[in-house]
Coordinates of all heavy atoms in Angstrom, one line a residue:
A519 N 9.3 -21.4 15.2 CA 10.4 -21.0 14.2 C 9.8 -20.2 13.1 O 10.4 -19.2 12.6 CB 11.1 -22.2 13.7
E520 N 8.6 -20.6 12.6 CA 7.9 -19.9 11.6 C 7.6 -18.5 12.0 O 7.8 -17.4 11.3 CB 6.6 -20.6 11.2 CG 5.8 -20.0 10.1 CD 4.7 -20.8 9.7 OE1 3.7 -20.9 10.5 OE2 4.7 -21.4 8.6
Q521 N 7.1 -18.4 13.3 CA 6.6 -17.1 13.8 C 7.8 -16.1 14.1 O 7.6 -14.9 14.1 CB 5.8 -17.3 15.1 CG 4.4 -17.9 14.9 CD 3.6 -18.2 16.1 OE1 4.2 -18.6 17.1 NE2 2.3 -17.8 16.0
Q522 N 8.9 -16.7 14.4 CA 10.1 -15.9 14.6 C 10.4 -14.9 13.5 O 10.6 -13.7 13.7 CB 11.4 -16.7 14.8 CG 12.6 -16.0 15.1 CD 12.6 -15.2 16.5 OE1 11.9 -15.6 17.4 NE2 13.2 -14.0 16.5
G523 N 10.2 -15.4 12.3 CA 10.3 -14.5 11.1 C 9.2 -13.4 11.1 O 9.5 -12.3 10.7
F524 N 8.0 -13.8 11.4 CA 6.9 -12.9 11.4 C 7.2 -11.7 12.5 O 7.1 -10.6 12.1 CB 5.5 -13.6 11.8 CG 5.1 -14.6 10.9 CD1 4.3 -15.6 11.4 CD2 5.5 -14.8 9.6 CE1 3.8 -16.7 10.6 CE2 5.1 -15.7 8.8 CZ 4.2 -16.7 9.3
H525 N 7.7 -12.1 13.6 CA 8.0 -11.1 14.6 C 9.0 -10.1 14.2 O 9.0 -8.9 14.4 CB 8.4 -11.8 15.9 CG 7.2 -12.5 16.6 ND1 6.1 -11.8 17.3 CD2 6.9 -13.8 16.9 CE1 5.3 -12.6 17.9 NE2 5.8 -13.8 17.7
E526 N 10.1 -10.7 13.6 CA 11.2 -9.9 13.2 C 10.8 -8.9 12.1 O 11.3 -7.8 12.1 CB 12.4 -10.8 12.6 CG 13.0 -11.5 13.8 CD 14.0 -12.6 13.3 OE1 14.2 -12.7 12.1 OE2 14.6 -13.2 14.2
R527 N 10.0 -9.4 11.1 CA 9.7 -8.5 10.0 C 8.6 -7.4 10.4 O 8.6 -6.4 9.9 CB 9.1 -9.3 8.8 CG 10.2 -10.0 8.0 CD 9.6 -10.7 6.8 NE 8.8 -11.8 7.0 CZ 9.2 -13.1 7.2 NH1 10.6 -13.4 6.9 NH2 8.5 -14.1 7.3
A528 N 7.8 -7.8 11.4 CA 6.8 -6.8 11.9 C 7.4 -5.7 12.9 O 6.8 -4.7 12.9 CB 5.7 -7.6 12.7
Q529 N 8.5 -6.0 13.5 CA 9.0 -5.2 14.6 C 9.3 -3.7 14.1 O 8.9 -2.7 14.9 CB 10.2 -5.7 15.3 CG 10.5 -5.1 16.6 CD 9.5 -5.2 17.6 OE1 8.8 -6.3 17.9 NE2 9.0 -4.1 18.2
P530 N 9.9 -3.5 12.9 CA 10.1 -2.1 12.5 C 8.8 -1.3 12.5 O 8.9 -0.1 12.7 CB 10.8 -2.3 11.1 CG 11.4 -3.6 11.2 CD 10.5 -4.5 12.0
Y531 N 7.8 -1.8 12.0 CA 6.5 -1.2 11.8 C 5.8 -1.0 13.2 O 5.1 0.1 13.3 CB 5.6 -1.9 10.8 CG 6.3 -2.2 9.5 CD1 6.8 -3.4 9.3 CD2 6.5 -1.1 8.7 CE1 7.4 -3.7 8.1 CE2 7.2 -1.5 7.5 CZ 7.7 -2.7 7.2 OH 8.3 -2.9 6.0
L532 N 6.1 -1.8 14.1 CA 5.6 -1.6 15.5 C 6.3 -0.5 16.2 O 5.8 0.4 17.0 CB 5.6 -2.9 16.3 CG 4.8 -4.0 15.8 CD1 5.1 -5.3 16.6 CD2 3.4 -3.7 16.0
D533 N 7.6 -0.4 15.9 CA 8.5 0.6 16.5 C 8.2 2.0 15.9 O 8.3 3.0 16.6 CB 10.0 0.3 16.4 CG 10.4 -1.0 17.1 OD1 9.7 -1.3 18.1 OD2 11.4 -1.6 16.7
D534 N 7.9 2.1 14.6 CA 7.7 3.3 13.9 C 6.5 3.2 13.0 O 6.7 2.8 11.8 CB 9.0 3.7 13.1 CG 8.8 5.0 12.5 OD1 7.8 5.8 12.6 OD2 9.8 5.5 11.8
P535 N 5.3 3.4 13.5 CA 4.1 3.3 12.7 C 4.0 4.1 11.5 O 3.3 3.9 10.5 CB 3.0 3.7 13.7 CG 3.5 3.4 15.0 CD 5.0 3.7 14.9
S536 N 4.8 5.2 11.4 CA 4.9 6.1 10.2 C 5.4 5.3 9.0 O 5.0 5.6 7.9 CB 5.7 7.4 10.5 OG 7.1 7.0 10.6
L537 N 6.2 4.4 9.2 CA 6.7 3.5 8.1 C 5.5 2.8 7.4 O 5.4 2.8 6.2 CB 7.6 2.5 8.6 CG 9.0 3.0 9.1 CD1 9.9 1.8 9.7 CD2 9.8 3.8 8.1
L538 N 4.6 2.3 8.2 CA 3.4 1.7 7.7 C 2.5 2.6 7.0 O 2.1 2.3 5.8 CB 2.7 1.1 8.9 CG 1.5 0.1 8.6 CD1 2.0 -1.2 7.9 CD2 0.8 -0.3 9.9
R539 N 2.3 3.8 7.5 CA 1.5 4.8 6.9 C 2.1 5.2 5.5 O 1.3 5.4 4.6 CB 1.3 6.0 7.8 CG 0.0 6.0 8.8 CD 0.1 5.0 9.8 NE -1.0 5.2 10.7 CZ -1.2 4.2 11.7 NH1 -0.4 3.2 11.9 NH2 -2.3 4.4 12.5
N540 N 3.3 5.4 5.5 CA 4.0 5.8 4.3 C 3.9 4.7 3.2 O 3.7 5.1 2.0 CB 5.5 6.1 4.5 CG 5.7 7.3 5.4 OD1 4.8 8.3 5.4 ND2 6.8 7.5 6.0
I541 N 4.0 3.5 3.5 CA 3.8 2.3 2.5 C 2.4 2.4 2.0 O 2.2 2.3 0.7 CB 4.1 1.0 3.2 CG1 5.6 0.8 3.5 CG2 3.5 -0.1 2.3 CD1 5.9 -0.3 4.3
I542 N 1.3 2.6 2.8 CA 0.0 2.6 2.3 C -0.2 3.9 1.6 O -0.9 3.9 0.5 CB -0.9 2.5 3.5 CG1 -0.8 1.1 4.1 CG2 -2.4 2.8 3.1 CD1 -1.2 0.0 3.2
A543 N 0.3 5.1 2.0 CA 0.1 6.3 1.2 C 0.7 6.2 -0.2 O 0.1 6.6 -1.2 CB 0.7 7.4 1.9
D544 N 1.9 5.6 -0.3 CA 2.5 5.4 -1.6 C 1.6 4.4 -2.5 O 1.5 4.7 -3.7 CB 3.9 4.8 -1.4 CG 4.9 5.9 -0.8 OD1 4.5 7.1 -0.9 OD2 5.9 5.6 -0.4
G545 N 1.3 3.3 -1.8 CA 0.4 2.4 -2.6 C -0.9 2.9 -3.1 O -1.3 2.6 -4.2
C546 N -1.5 3.8 -2.2 CA -2.8 4.4 -2.7 C -2.5 5.4 -3.9 O -3.4 5.4 -4.8 CB -3.4 5.2 -1.5 SG -4.1 4.2 -0.2
D547 N -1.4 6.1 -3.9 CA -1.1 6.9 -4.9 C -0.9 6.1 -6.3 O -1.4 6.5 -7.3 CB 0.2 7.7 -4.6 CG 0.0 8.8 -3.6 OD1 -1.2 9.2 -3.4 OD2 0.9 9.3 -3.0
Q548 N -0.2 5.0 -6.2 CA 0.1 4.2 -7.2 C -1.2 3.6 -7.9 O -1.5 3.5 -9.0 CB 1.0 3.1 -7.0 CG 2.5 3.5 -6.7 CD 3.4 2.4 -6.3 OE1 3.7 1.5 -7.2 NE2 3.8 2.3 -5.1
A549 N -2.1 3.1 -6.9 CA -3.3 2.5 -7.3 C -4.2 3.6 -8.0 O -4.9 3.2 -9.0 CB -4.0 1.9 -6.1
R550 N -4.2 4.7 -7.4 CA -5.1 5.8 -8.0 C -4.8 6.1 -9.4 O -5.6 6.4 -10.3 CB -5.2 7.0 -7.1 CG -6.0 7.0 -5.9 CD -6.5 8.3 -5.5 NE -7.6 8.8 -6.3 CZ -8.1 9.9 -6.1 NH1 -7.7 10.8 -5.2 NH2 -9.2 10.3 -6.9
K551 N -3.5 6.1 -9.7 CA -3.0 6.5 -11.0 C -3.6 5.5 -12.1 O -4.0 5.9 -13.1 CB -1.4 6.4 -11.1 CG -0.9 7.6 -10.5 CD 0.7 7.6 -10.5 CE 1.3 8.8 -9.7 NZ 2.8 8.7 -9.7
I552 N -3.5 4.2 -11.7 CA -4.1 3.2 -12.6 C -5.6 3.3 -12.7 O -6.2 3.3 -13.7 CB -3.7 1.7 -12.1 CG1 -2.2 1.6 -11.9 CG2 -4.4 0.7 -13.0 CD1 -1.8 0.3 -11.3
A553 N -6.3 3.5 -11.5 CA -7.7 3.7 -11.5 C -8.2 4.8 -12.2 O -9.2 4.8 -12.9 CB -8.2 3.8 -10.0
Q554 N -7.4 5.9 -12.1 CA -7.9 7.2 -12.9 C -7.8 7.0 -14.4 O -8.7 7.4 -15.1 CB -6.9 8.3 -12.4 CG -7.4 8.9 -11.1 CD -6.4 9.8 -10.5 OE1 -5.2 10.0 -11.0 NE2 -6.7 10.5 -9.4
E555 N -6.8 6.3 -14.9 CA -6.7 6.0 -16.3 C -7.9 5.0 -16.7 O -8.6 5.3 -17.8 CB -5.4 5.2 -16.6 CG -5.3 4.8 -18.0 CD -5.3 6.0 -19.0 OE1 -5.0 7.1 -18.6 OE2 -5.7 5.7 -20.2
T556 N -8.2 4.0 -15.9 CA -9.4 3.2 -16.2 C -10.7 4.0 -16.3 O -11.5 3.8 -17.2 CB -9.5 2.1 -15.2 OG1 -8.3 1.3 -15.2 CG2 -10.7 1.1 -15.5
M557 N -10.9 4.8 -15.3 CA -12.1 5.6 -15.2 C -12.3 6.6 -16.3 O -13.3 6.9 -16.8 CB -12.2 6.3 -13.8 CG -12.5 5.3 -12.7 SD -13.9 4.1 -13.0 CE -15.2 5.3 -13.3
R558 N -11.1 7.2 -16.7 CA -11.1 8.1 -17.9 C -11.7 7.4 -19.1 O -12.6 8.0 -19.8 CB -9.8 8.5 -18.3 CG -9.7 9.6 -19.4 CD -8.3 9.9 -19.8 NE -7.6 8.7 -20.3 CZ -7.8 8.3 -21.6 NH1 -8.7 8.8 -22.4 NH2 -7.2 7.2 -22.1
E559 N -11.3 6.1 -19.3 CA -11.9 5.4 -20.5 C -13.3 4.9 -20.2 O -14.1 4.9 -21.2 CB -11.0 4.2 -20.9 CG -9.6 4.7 -21.2 CD -8.7 3.5 -21.7 OE1 -9.3 2.5 -22.2 OE2 -7.5 3.6 -21.5
V560 N -13.7 4.5 -19.0 CA -15.0 4.2 -18.7 C -16.0 5.4 -18.9 O -17.0 5.2 -19.5 CB -15.0 3.6 -17.3 CG1 -16.6 3.5 -16.9 CG2 -14.4 2.2 -17.2
R561 N -15.7 6.5 -18.3 CA -16.5 7.7 -18.5 C -16.7 8.1 -19.9 O -17.7 8.3 -20.4 CB -15.8 8.9 -17.7 CG -15.9 8.7 -16.2 CD -15.4 10.0 -15.6 NE -14.9 9.7 -14.3 CZ -13.6 9.8 -14.0 NH1 -12.7 10.1 -14.9 NH2 -13.1 9.5 -12.7
E562 N -15.5 8.0 -20.7 CA -15.6 8.3 -22.2 C -16.6 7.4 -22.9 O -17.4 7.8 -23.7 CB -14.2 8.2 -22.7 CG -14.1 8.7 -24.2 CD -12.7 8.5 -24.7 OE1 -12.3 7.3 -25.1 OE2 -11.9 9.4 -24.5
A563 N -16.4 6.1 -22.6 CA -17.3 5.1 -23.2 C -18.8 5.2 -22.8 O -19.6 5.0 -23.7 CB -16.8 3.6 -22.8
M564 N -19.0 5.8 -21.6 CA -20.5 5.8 -21.2 C -20.9 7.3 -21.5 O -22.1 7.6 -21.0 CB -20.5 5.5 -19.7 CG -20.1 4.1 -19.3 SD -20.3 3.7 -17.6 CE -22.1 3.5 -17.4

């Protein structure tokens, strides 16, 4: 019963792997924006 939910939520990404790639691409962009701001201040301090 627990795994039924896992299978159902996973199926769209198995059917269309581009959905998965897009999620990660968007996440990487968001993470980089935060990371770039941190590194700007780190470089300045050093």
Side-chain angles (χ1 to χ4, degrees):
E520 180 177 69
Q521 290 181 318
Q522 181 63 31
F524 300 157
H525 287 293
E526 290 174 358
R527 285 189 288 269
Q529 196 58 50
Y531 306 105
L532 296 171
D533 293 339
D534 185 359
S536 68
L537 295 175
L538 189 65
R539 266 71 174 174
N540 290 339
I541 288 171
I542 292 298
D544 289 345
C546 291
D547 287 343
Q548 293 180 64
R550 281 209 76 181
K551 287 178 183 177
I552 302 171
Q554 286 168 347
E555 177 60 26
T556 300
M557 290 311 302
R558 182 188 65 77
E559 296 185 33
V560 167
R561 293 187 203 106
E562 184 181 90
M564 298 183 76

